[in-house]
Amino acid sequence: MCVLVTLLTATGAAILELVRQQTGTAGFFVGLGLALLPVPPLMAVFRWLGRAAPGPWRTLLFCFGWGACTAALIAILANSFATEWMAAASTDPLAADRLGSVAVAPVVEETAKAAALLLVFLFRRRQFRDAADGLVFAGFTATGFAFTENVLYLGNAFEEDLAHGTRALDSVTAATFFVRVVLSPFAHPLFTVLTGLGFGAAALAVRRTRRTGLPLLGLASAMGAHALWNGSSHFGKYGFYAVYGCVMVPAFALLLGLAVRIRRRRLRAVSAELSVYSAAGWLGPAEVPALASMPARSLARVLARRSGGRPAARAVSRYAADAAALALLRRHARRSGPGDRDPEFAERERELLHRLWHRRATAAPALTRAAVLEELLPPPRWSPSAAPPARVPVPAARKPELSASPT
C-alpha cells in the first residue's frame, strides 16, 4: 500500500509539473478549473451504478488517482516519444502524427488505464466480484485520465487564445470545452469500461483460459473503440459527426442500458442469496426485500437518522453494504463449486456475518419499517372477515449458528 501511495504521489507531482510546463501557469489553472467540472457528475454516475454492493472508497480513489497521475504520465511520455520517433523516421510528419493518434495512442492509453484494473484484480480480488465492479473501477480510472488530459488540452487552448487575443465566444478554449466537456465527457469512460467488463466477467469465470482471455478481449475492444474515435477527424469533413452520432452515442446508450441491467441483476442476487441467511436466523424476513431495494435502503437511512442521528444512518449503510457483499460472496462460491471454491470463503463469510450481527440492533428496525412503508412485504394470507392471527411471542435475540456451505 505504501508503495502505491508513493508511486501515485510521485507521478502526480511529475504530471502536474509536466502539464504546467506545456500549458503555462495561467493556462494550467484555467484548464484545471474547467476540467474539474465533469468529474463530480461522472463519479456520481459510476458510484450510483455500483451502489447495490458498493466498493470501498479507498479502491475507487486509487483508480481515479492512477488514471489522473500514473496512466496520464505514461501516456504523455510514451505518445510523445513514439510521435517524435515516427516523425524522424518518416518524410511526412503529418502522416506520422496521424498514425500516432490512431495506432499508438489508443494502445498506450488503454493499456496504462487497464493496469489499475489489473492491480485491483490481482491484489484486491475480493473487491472484484462481477461486471458491476469492473464497470465502476474502469469508470473511475478513465474519469481521472480524462481529467488530466482535459487540463492539458484546455490549458493549451487558453494559451493559444491569449497569444492571438481571441474573444471568449470565438476562442479555441470555448470550442475545446464544448467538444471535450459538453459533447463527449463519456469518451474515455466508454473505452475503458469495455476493459472493466472483461475483468468483471473474468472474476465470475471458472476456467483459467477465460480469466485470461476475457480481460484481453475487453482491452482489445477498448483499443479499437479508442482508435475509431481518434481517427474520426481523419474521415473527411463530417467524419467526426458521423462516428459520434452513428457509433459513439448508440454505444454509450447500449452500455448505459447494460450497466442498469447489471445493477438490477445484482439486486436480484442479493435477494436470492440473503434468503438463505434469513432462513438461518441471521436476518429478519423483512430485511431481505429491503436490502434488495435501493429506495428502501435510502428510506431506512432516513428513518435511522431521525431516530439515532448520523451514526445510525452510517450503520444502516454499512449493514447494507456488508449484506450485499455477503450475498455476492455466496453467489461466487456457489457458482465456483467445491473444487474451485475460495479457501478463504468460510473466514470471509464469518467476518461479514459478525459485522452484520453487531449492527443489526440499529439497522434491522429501520430496514423493516422501510420494507413496510415501501410495501415490499407479501400481503397477509388471512382475509379481513376471518379472525386475526394469534400473536406469537418473539424470543430474545440470539446469535444463530453459521449457515451451511453453499451448494
Side-chain angles (χ1 to χ4, degrees):
M1 187 65 181
C2 293
V3 175
L4 290 177
V5 172
T6 303
L7 177 63
L8 291 180
T9 303
T11 54
I15 192 66
L16 285 175
E17 179 59 22
L18 183 61
V19 172
R20 191 196 65 79
Q21 289 178 1
Q22 294 190 20
T23 61
T25 303
F28 171 77
F29 284 107
V30 170
L32 183 67
L34 295 176
L36 274 173
L37 295 178
V39 171
L42 286 172
M43 293 176 71
V45 168
F46 284 110
R47 184 65 174 173
W48 178 85
L49 291 172
R51 274 189 63 200
W57 270 108
R58 181 180 300 179
T59 304
L60 297 178
L61 293 177
F62 160 75
C63 290
F64 180 86
W66 182 278
C69 301
T70 310
L73 181 63
I74 293 172
I76 289 178
L77 295 178
N79 288 339
S80 300
F81 172 79
T83 302
E84 291 175 3
W85 180 82
M86 288 186 296
S90 173
T91 57
D92 188 354
L94 183 60
D97 183 69
R98 182 181 304 174
L99 180 63
S101 67
V102 175
V104 177
V107 174
V108 170
E109 294 176 11
E110 295 307 322
T111 302
K113 288 183 283 183
L117 306 181
L118 179 62
L119 289 173
V120 177
F121 189 80
L122 293 178
F123 298 106
R124 290 291 184 268
R125 184 62 178 273
R126 64 172 54 174
Q127 297 175 14
F128 230 123
R129 297 158 295 189
D130 56 15
D133 288 319
L135 189 149
V136 174
F137 294 150
F140 269 74
T141 305
T143 300
F145 185 90
F147 163 70
T148 302
E149 192 176 70
N150 285 341
V151 174
L152 180 62
Y153 278 91
L154 289 165
N156 284 332
F158 181 77
E159 286 295 316
E160 183 179 342
D161 290 332
L162 279 182
H164 294 87
T166 311
R167 294 184 304 171
L169 295 179
D170 299 328
S171 64
V172 180
T173 305
T176 304
F177 180 84
F178 177 75
V179 171
R180 298 191 64 87
V181 177
V182 177
L183 201 61
S184 58
F186 58 85
H188 272 290
L190 176 63
F191 309 144
T192 313
V193 156
L194 298 174
T195 307
L197 291 175
F199 274 102
L204 296 175
V206 176
R207 295 181 181 179
R208 184 169 298 178
T209 54
R210 292 187 177 181
R211 292 176 187 171
T212 304
L214 290 172
L216 292 176
L217 178 61
L219 178 59
S221 301
M223 292 176 181
H226 197 156
L228 178 64
W229 174 253
N230 285 4
S232 62
S233 59
H234 307 303
F235 296 160
K237 185 177 180 180
Y238 300 103
F240 169 81
Y241 301 102
V243 171
Y244 180 83
C246 299
V247 179
M248 299 301 292
V249 172
F252 174 74
L254 181 64
L255 279 178
L256 185 60
L258 178 63
V260 173
R261 184 177 179 182
I262 290 172
R263 186 176 188 263
R264 290 175 179 171
R265 186 181 301 172
R266 225 181 204 193
L267 289 173
R268 287 197 296 268
V270 168
S271 176
E273 302 297 341
L274 289 185
S275 298
V276 178
Y277 296 99
S278 175
W282 287 97
L283 301 171
E287 292 178 58
V288 176
L291 290 168
S293 167
M294 298 310 298
R297 289 193 201 178
S298 299
L299 179 58
R301 288 194 296 270
V302 172
L303 296 172
R305 179 174 293 181
R306 289 176 182 173
S307 60
R310 290 185 178 180
R314 282 197 298 269
V316 172
S317 296
R318 292 172 181 172
Y319 187 87
D322 287 339
L326 179 65
L328 297 182
L329 176 73
R330 185 179 181 87
R331 182 189 65 175
H332 180 72
R334 181 171 51 79
R335 289 183 174 181
S336 298
D340 298 314
R341 186 167 299 158
D342 185 356
E344 298 180 357
F345 165 77
E347 179 183 352
R348 177 64 173 159
E349 181 189 42
R350 188 179 296 107
E351 175 190 344
L352 290 170
L353 288 172
H354 180 75
R355 281 154 52 175
L356 286 174
W357 188 257
H358 278 277
R359 295 192 179 106
R360 189 179 179 190
T362 301
L367 287 165
T368 300
R369 180 159 175 74
V372 172
L373 294 176
E374 290 289 324
E375 299 181 350
L376 300 177
L377 300 178
R381 296 182 179 180
W382 50 276
S383 62
S385 59
R391 185 182 180 121
V392 180
V394 179
R398 182 176 62 86
K399 197 171 185 178
E401 298 296 327
L402 204 61
S403 61
S405 298
T407 55

